[in-house]
Amino acid sequence: MLLESSSLKQTRVRTVSLPRQRLRSVAKSLLDLAPRITEQNTGQHQITVVCISDTHNNTPQLPPGDILLHAGDLTEWGSFDEVQAQIDWISKQPHRHKVIVAGNHDVLFDQDFLDANHEDFPVRPGKTMKDLNWNGVIYLMNSAVTLDFYIGGATQTLKIYGCPYTPQKFRSAFQAPRDVDTWKGQIPKGTDILLTHGPPWGHLDGLRYGCQYLAREIARARPRLVVFGHIHVGAGREVIRFDRLRSAYERIVAADSGWEAIPTMLLMLLWLARPLVLFAPFHTPKMAAAPLNGSSPLLRLPVEVRDIIHRMVLGPASAKRPPVDGYSDYKFDLTLLLVNRQIHDEARHIFQRLHTFIKITTPWPEAQQHVALQGYVPMICTGPRASKFMSYHLLVTIDAPFYAQFGHQSESFVIHIDDLPTFCQMWQYSDLSHPGLNAHLRLTLHLQDPYTPSYSDPHLPRSLQTTLLEPFSKVKNLSSFTTQGPFLPSLLTNLKSSMAVPYPTPSACLQRATQLKDSGNALLLANDPQGAIALYEQAFLAIHIVVQGRRRSIWADAFFHTTLPTSDPNFPNGQNAHTLRLVLRVRLVANIIHAYNLLENWAEAHFWGMRTIEIMREATGPEGEDQVMHGFPAGNELGKIYYRTGLAARELGVEKEVVRGLMRVAQGYLPGNEKVRKEVVALAPKIL
């Protein structure tokens, strides 16, 4: 897109050293590396546009063309005589079409401003904008015009949208509040030329006098040509590509963003320049080694900028794919290592610093699938590749004494250090679900530095060792636990002490979940349903139910199959922990559905309600049949589930008979509830 600032006056500008100059310099370096935009000039069948602005009563000689655009400030004081004189001059120009907008000096065009400031800005008595003789000149005021041209044997059209407003700076016409977005959605679809008095922010606007909201609107509408004036020192021409690279740069220069905007620029730069920077040398397999001796535009960047690029491209956040219902995986793009020798060495060093891998070995072939599918632990590699993988910091060997005598072959898989806590949490859930499991298992942890030669001291800082060991505090009651390698003795002592601490009791888990539920209820009353849902999900987790998107993994059923002691202060009278957990689950589901309904997220409310209802149908009767379970411990909450699910179903347009069935069951559980009764009556078939 082409931007033109057409002010006729120019003054010298003094360069000022601004704060944050280093950050801006880095951002500018990245912007300059983007591929250049070239303008194509076919030399025929073109429409010539002449752009001027800020003539301030002057009448310069103009070049010929098809369209003459004036971007405002025709006059100095905005009087009727000045405006009419400028219109007369413009109308006499040879251009087929003449289009103008007003500027902040052209007060005659802004009646609201004149009404508020009539003593300071007098115009000829009785003369208003309506008395002007336009002589074919087109005036745009937040409006558009479509012009027709017969060129090359065909009719072509250009749509021009014009607006006079600029951000508030002086007491003058057409001033918009600086902190109010008056531009959003204003440029019509299909606009070819945007004609404004003021510039967009960051483009030919001098010391940044442009409008940031206009810049955003231009980026959205993307006209082919933008013409503006107002800032006399900004006269010039700029060809730009509006994309995320430039948007990030503009946020940095405007001090709206800091170093956190650099990653966006880096990724966009690599995408735009990918044929040159990454892939150009690989046209044939014979050239695969060429980059190691070649050069790259990346080497023109400062070393700290290259370091940021390496971190962004090779870091865990770039490699880990977004989860879908809790499941995610890794895909490492190591193309950067093939650019050339220097980039390869720099990037490899960064990659090794950013990633720590754990290799897990067991004699059970199904372990990897169990960890990935039930534990939501993404795999780096499995099978033969994992068996050969040696770049790990920690080797985790899990086996059983009785299994060793049968000589089973070991199976391996590799995970990332970021996912080690999830792995150990899943191990804890497995032990709670199968009491006594860990009593048959042996665990060996072997620590090493895969990147330090054997003749050198390993680089294994305390912080890394702590991160590797702490998750295993959740693993308890093992048959044996041993370690190998240069572990710090104090860390091992702390780990063994933590492993000896018993699991929280069922009573403690239920009490914690109840507290979280009550806190969620308080947020619901405070009109914060989204926050309430987050607390309800934490309450599920406290009783070992993991919510991942629309999936729920229920662990530790056997752990809760116990009768609490009569002396329990939280749940006296020897209640059954499993029953208490079931009641709490139903209450949480009922509250989550209510929260989603308050958010008008009918689909999620309906999903969670029907999930529980389907479970109840399977437990109570023939397939598809709803029955009221009289005496059910959480019957009141179950009725709320049917009622709230029915409300969501109605909003989703579910068949009326289905909604009626849900409400009838709700009434069976809540016979005295007036809201439910009214819904049932409203849904009853009409008798004609």
Side-chain angles (χ1 to χ4, degrees):
M1 182 177 64
L2 178 64
L3 286 88
E4 294 247 2
S5 179
S6 49
S7 298
L8 297 180
K9 297 183 179 180
Q10 299 188 39
T11 60
R12 297 183 63 184
V13 182
R14 181 167 59 92
T15 302
V16 180
S17 179
L18 300 175
R20 298 159 48 94
Q21 194 61 38
R22 183 57 176 164
L23 172 60
R24 289 169 176 161
S25 175
V26 169
K28 187 63 167 62
S29 298
L30 293 176
L31 189 67
D32 290 342
L33 283 176
R36 299 300 178 191
I37 305 172
T38 58
E39 297 181 72
Q40 296 183 353
N41 189 340
T42 61
Q44 55 183 337
H45 305 325
Q46 292 187 339
I47 298 173
T48 303
V49 182
V50 177
C51 308
I52 62 174
S53 77
D54 296 85
T55 49
H56 293 288
N57 296 330
N58 293 302
T59 55
Q61 184 175 354
L62 303 177
D66 299 298
I67 308 175
L68 173 61
L69 300 179
H70 195 303
D73 274 3
L74 297 87
T75 68
E76 191 67 39
W77 301 105
S79 67
F80 181 88
D81 292 339
E82 287 178 298
V83 173
Q84 186 62 68
Q86 281 284 292
I87 292 177
D88 291 343
W89 167 67
I90 292 173
S91 68
K92 295 175 183 177
Q93 300 304 311
H95 311 80
R96 179 179 175 185
H97 299 286
K98 299 99 173 174
V99 184
I100 70 170
V101 294
N104 59 292
H105 281 251
D106 305 323
V107 297
L108 180 71
F109 294 95
D110 192 346
Q111 191 60 48
D112 291 338
F113 176 79
L114 287 177
D115 292 342
N117 302 272
H118 61 277
E119 294 181 357
D120 296 327
F121 294 88
V123 296
R124 181 186 294 181
K127 292 290 186 178
T128 68
M129 175 182 166
K130 296 179 181 178
D131 298 307
L132 292 170
N133 183 3
W134 292 99
N135 294 321
V137 175
I138 300 171
Y139 170 66
L140 298 180
M141 166 60 181
N142 296 338
S143 57
V145 62
T146 299
L147 306 178
D148 295 326
F149 298 88
Y150 188 76
I151 299 177
T155 300
Q156 299 184 28
T157 62
L158 278 180
K159 186 175 184 178
I160 305 174
Y161 179 78
C163 176
Y165 283 93
T166 55
Q168 179 73 49
K169 183 173 175 61
F170 309 106
R171 189 162 66 100
S172 55
F174 300 112
Q175 300 286 282
R178 282 193 169 271
D179 58 349
V180 177
D181 187 356
T182 58
W183 272 102
K184 186 174 183 180
Q186 290 301 305
I187 302 177
K189 183 178 180 181
T191 296
D192 298 296
I193 300 176
L194 174 64
L195 180 62
T196 72
H197 180 54
W201 193 95
H203 300 280
L204 306 175
D205 61 343
L207 296 177
R208 298 298 180 256
Y209 292 126
C211 177
Q212 59 179 327
Y213 303 117
L214 172 57
R216 293 176 188 170
E217 179 66 2
I218 291 172
R220 181 197 67 82
R222 303 198 176 192
R224 297 163 62 187
L225 173 65
V226 180
V227 181
F228 50 85
H230 190 45
I231 306 301
H232 298 185
V233 298
R237 166 189 183 90
E238 182 180 358
V239 182
I240 67 170
R241 175 192 288 113
F242 269 109
D243 54 21
R244 293 181 64 189
L245 177 67
R246 177 166 287 277
S247 297
Y249 168 73
E250 292 176 356
R251 292 197 306 272
I252 289 173
V253 178
D256 290 334
S257 298
W259 285 95
E260 71 277 3
I262 290 291
T264 298
M265 295 192 68
L266 295 171
L267 295 178
M268 283 301 303
L269 176 64
L270 289 174
W271 173 254
L272 292 171
R274 65 194 186 283
L276 175 65
V277 178
L278 299 180
F279 304 117
F282 304 108
H283 295 307
T284 65
K286 295 181 180 179
M287 299 182 66
L292 297 180
N293 297 318
S295 61
S296 167
L298 288 175
L299 294 177
R300 302 205 305 264
L301 294 172
V303 64
E304 62 265 39
V305 177
R306 296 203 302 272
D307 184 85
I308 296 173
I309 292 176
H310 301 331
R311 288 178 176 275
M312 286 304 305
V313 175
L314 301 174
S318 297
K320 193 172 185 178
R321 301 183 186 183
V324 177
D325 280 342
Y327 295 114
S328 61
D329 60 358
Y330 288 89
K331 183 177 182 180
F332 293 95
D333 185 353
L334 303 181
T335 313
L336 194 61
L337 299 175
L338 303 176
V339 173
N340 63 27
R341 178 67 67 185
Q342 181 173 344
I343 297 298
H344 169 274
D345 292 343
E346 291 175 357
R348 182 182 63 177
H349 180 64
I350 294 294
F351 182 87
Q352 293 173 352
R353 284 163 48 191
L354 291 176
H355 298 282
T356 299
F357 299 109
I358 294 95
K359 182 175 180 178
I360 300 173
T361 300
T362 78
W364 299 288
E366 66 276 9
Q368 176 263 322
Q369 187 175 17
H370 177 72
V371 170
L373 297 182
Q374 297 187 9
Y376 302 100
V377 180
M379 300 286 121
I380 300 296
C381 61
T382 60
R385 292 180 59 196
S387 299
K388 297 176 182 178
F389 187 86
M390 299 304 293
S391 296
Y392 57 83
H393 280 79
L394 186 67
L395 175 62
V396 180
T397 303
I398 307 168
D399 65 359
F402 68 90
Y403 234 70
Q405 60 182 325
F406 296 108
H408 289 280
Q409 184 176 356
S410 295
E411 303 286 340
S412 298
F413 55 92
V414 178
I415 67 174
H416 198 276
I417 190 172
D418 291 348
D419 303 305
L420 184 59
T422 306
F423 169 78
C424 292
Q425 181 66 72
M426 184 229 61
W427 191 347
Q428 181 193 64
Y429 288 152
S430 296
D431 187 46
L432 292 172
S433 300
H434 307 281
L437 171 67
N438 282 0
H440 301 286
L441 299 180
R442 299 186 298 195
L443 170 64
T444 301
L445 301 180
H446 180 196
L447 181 67
Q448 69 169 21
D449 180 359
Y451 307 123
T452 300
S454 57
Y455 53 79
S456 300
D457 293 332
H459 180 67
L460 298 165
R462 183 184 186 89
S463 59
L464 175 61
Q465 293 193 39
T466 300
T467 305
L468 287 169
L469 289 176
E470 276 189 347
F472 288 95
S473 63
K474 295 181 178 294
V475 181
K476 306 176 185 297
N477 307 320
L478 292 166
S479 172
S480 69
F481 170 53
T482 58
T483 59
Q484 301 172 2
F487 286 107
L488 293 174
S490 60
L491 295 181
L492 289 178
T493 300
N494 293 338
L495 174 60
K496 291 177 181 178
S497 298
S498 299
M499 295 173 76
V501 176
Y503 295 129
T505 64
S507 175
C509 295
L510 290 166
Q511 178 65 12
R512 176 58 178 159
T514 301
Q515 292 171 350
L516 289 167
K517 175 186 69 68
D518 293 342
S519 298
N521 294 347
L523 288 184
L524 270 187
L525 293 175
N527 197 28
D528 183 10
Q530 196 65 59
I533 291 172
L535 287 178
Y536 294 147
E537 291 181 351
Q538 291 182 39
F540 271 122
L541 194 61
I543 52 176
H544 307 316
I545 298 175
V546 181
V547 178
Q548 296 275 7
R550 286 189 165 188
R551 298 179 63 89
R552 277 193 307 183
S553 299
I554 302 173
W555 299 88
D557 272 350
F559 175 71
F560 284 96
H561 271 292
T562 182
T563 300
L564 301 179
T566 56
S567 59
D568 192 302
N570 300 318
F571 306 97
N573 304 322
Q575 300 181 67
N576 184 275
H578 179 72
T579 301
L580 291 172
R581 186 194 192 204
L582 177 62
V583 172
L584 187 55
R585 286 171 53 187
V586 174
R587 288 175 176 168
L588 287 171
V589 171
N591 292 358
I592 285 177
I593 298 170
H594 183 40
Y596 277 127
N597 279 344
L598 291 176
L599 291 169
E600 297 185 358
N601 190 340
W602 314 115
E604 285 301 307
H606 185 260
F607 171 82
W608 284 108
M610 291 308 300
R611 184 184 188 277
T612 299
I613 289 170
E614 291 296 339
I615 294 174
M616 300 306 300
R617 287 171 176 171
E618 292 176 3
T620 59
E623 183 178 355
E625 183 178 335
D626 290 305
Q627 296 184 17
V628 177
M629 293 192 299
H630 297 287
F632 184 72
N636 191 57
E637 284 72 20
L638 200 54
K640 292 178 182 178
I641 289 177
Y642 275 91
Y643 169 67
R644 292 166 181 172
T645 305
L647 295 178
R650 183 187 64 193
E651 295 294 333
L652 290 172
V654 175
E655 292 180 7
K656 191 174 182 179
E657 182 61 35
V658 175
V659 178
R660 184 186 304 126
L662 294 173
M663 291 299 180
R664 279 201 297 260
V665 178
Q667 189 176 37
Y669 284 108
L670 302 167
N673 191 294
E674 185 63 18
K675 290 182 179 179
V676 177
R677 188 192 68 80
K678 289 182 178 179
E679 289 291 338
V680 172
V681 171
L683 291 166
K686 306 301 181 190
I687 300 177
L688 300 179

